[in-house]
Amino acid sequence: MKPIFARGISNQFRLTLAIVLSVILLVANDRLEPVRQSISSLLSPLQYVANIPGAVLDWSAESIATRNMLAKQNKQLLRQQLLMSERLQRFEHLRQENDRLRALLGSPVHMDSKKMVAEVMEVASDPFRHYVVLNHGARSGVFVGQPVVDAHGVVGQVVEISELTSRVLLISDVTHAIPVRVTRNDVRLVVQGIGELDELELRHVAKSTDLRVGDLLVSSGLGKRFPEGYPVARVMKVERDDGQSYATVTAQPLAALDRIRYLLLIWPDGNQSEQVESVEAEPKADEPKAEETL
């Protein structure tokens, strides 16, 4: 009769067997690599099949979320379109009224200027210089001193041009200044950059100047560099210290200087491009100059 509790393999034998198998696997590890790759190749289709339910659920959830998001965005865009349409109607009425008043006063009417969309190719890596490089240059009629704006306000002006690119100095640069006026009371000031993308400074402002936090500053048109009426900044802080001769005024630029991608090049005069072309085009040797024909 067999015993009920048969004696099995001893623990020492099991340990020895495990050690021997481990040594064999360590020695034959490199030789087993092709086998592992073959097994992995055979099992890879099963992994794809196992991932199908999860992928289907993810795709369904993403489709539903995308559809809901598009529906919400569509509603918001429709509301914005209605608001903008109403604004355009009011602006058209104001434009016609402005034209009539200018005609009565004998003041020249501001014509629509030429515009061109440009894309930012490079941003200054120097922390002490604020400029960007655009993908339009002299070939497109860009000229030094040309004003540049974005969807919110003035960005800067062109300071260097090449045949295919141009460099724009931002209004936040310490070497850039722009004459502005306050829309509330037409007070004329000068805004200058201080090397910060989100802060500008109004220098030499008398303490008696009627200036409040929240005042909108637009280009005044003085200096004949920036057209009149483009938004530049909004007053953020006004401090009047009795021990100082002038008030300390800081403003925030309206243009998104830290995340600009597309900008708008403006020709203040509609004939500016024709003037640039006429300057760049030299007369041929057999053609008389303008002075010679007089």
Side-chain angles (χ1 to χ4, degrees):
M1 184 175 113
K2 296 181 179 181
I4 297 176
F5 301 100
R7 185 177 181 181
I9 301 174
S10 63
N11 293 332
Q12 294 179 353
F13 179 77
R14 294 178 180 178
L15 178 61
T16 304
L17 182 61
I19 293 174
V20 171
L21 291 177
S22 300
V23 173
I24 294 173
L25 290 175
L26 289 174
V27 173
N29 184 40
D30 296 336
R31 298 181 179 180
L32 293 176
E33 185 64 26
V35 178
R36 284 197 292 267
Q37 291 181 355
S38 301
I39 296 175
S40 177
S41 300
L42 292 175
L43 295 178
S44 57
L46 297 179
Q47 294 178 348
Y48 283 104
V49 173
N51 289 334
I52 288 177
V56 171
L57 290 176
D58 292 340
W59 176 80
S60 301
E62 184 178 358
S63 299
I64 294 173
T66 304
R67 184 175 180 180
N68 293 334
M69 181 181 65
L70 290 176
K72 292 180 180 179
Q73 291 180 350
N74 191 24
K75 291 181 180 178
Q76 292 178 357
L77 290 175
L78 287 175
R79 295 193 192 100
Q80 293 179 2
Q81 182 182 7
L82 291 174
L83 293 174
M84 294 302 295
S85 299
E86 190 269 340
R87 280 189 177 183
L88 286 175
Q89 294 174 13
R90 289 190 290 114
F91 286 161
E92 179 64 21
H93 172 70
L94 293 175
R95 185 189 66 83
Q96 294 175 359
E97 184 178 358
N98 189 29
D99 292 343
R100 288 194 296 268
L101 291 175
R102 286 183 178 276
L104 291 174
L105 295 174
S107 176
V109 179
H110 295 286
M111 303 300 293
D112 291 336
S113 58
K114 176 186 173 183
K115 306 175 185 65
M116 178 184 296
V117 178
E119 185 176 1
V120 175
M121 299 176 56
E122 180 186 349
V123 179
S125 58
D126 186 353
F128 301 103
R129 295 298 305 274
H130 292 183
Y131 67 84
V132 294
V133 177
L134 305 183
N135 62 341
H136 286 288
R139 183 173 297 182
S140 301
V142 181
F143 59 93
V144 174
Q146 183 169 8
V148 181
V149 301
D150 69 353
H152 304 285
V154 175
V155 171
Q157 60 178 299
V158 177
V159 292
E160 294 181 14
I161 58 172
S162 63
E163 192 66 21
L164 298 176
T165 62
S166 57
R167 177 174 294 188
V168 176
L169 186 69
L170 304 183
I171 59 175
S172 57
D173 192 271
V174 293
T175 61
H176 192 284
I178 173 175
V180 298
R181 66 176 178 86
V182 182
T183 56
R184 180 173 57 84
N185 52 15
D186 285 338
V187 172
R188 299 187 185 277
L189 305 165
V190 176
V191 172
Q192 186 164 355
I194 60 173
E196 299 291 338
L197 291 175
D198 59 347
E199 187 173 340
L200 302 173
E201 183 180 10
L202 282 78
R203 297 184 178 180
H204 308 298
V205 179
K207 290 187 291 185
S208 59
T209 303
D210 182 11
L211 203 59
R212 304 174 186 173
V213 173
D215 281 345
L216 178 63
L217 306 176
V218 298
S219 55
S220 64
L222 297 179
K224 299 181 180 180
R225 182 60 56 90
F226 292 91
E228 182 182 359
Y230 280 92
V232 177
R234 191 174 294 277
V235 177
M236 302 302 295
K237 182 173 64 174
V238 180
E239 295 181 353
R240 296 178 174 88
D241 189 357
D242 294 337
Q244 300 293 332
S245 301
Y246 299 100
T248 302
V249 184
T250 58
Q252 184 177 12
L254 296 178
L257 302 179
D258 57 341
R259 52 184 181 275
I260 50 179
R261 182 179 178 185
Y262 295 101
L263 297 177
L264 202 62
L265 292 163
I266 296 178
W267 281 259
D269 185 0
N271 299 326
Q272 182 68 41
S273 60
E274 299 177 2
Q275 295 174 3
V276 172
E277 293 176 359
S278 62
V279 171
E280 294 178 350
E282 297 180 355
K284 297 181 181 179
D286 56 347
E287 293 182 355
K289 295 183 179 179
E291 296 178 355
E292 298 174 355
T293 58
L294 295 178

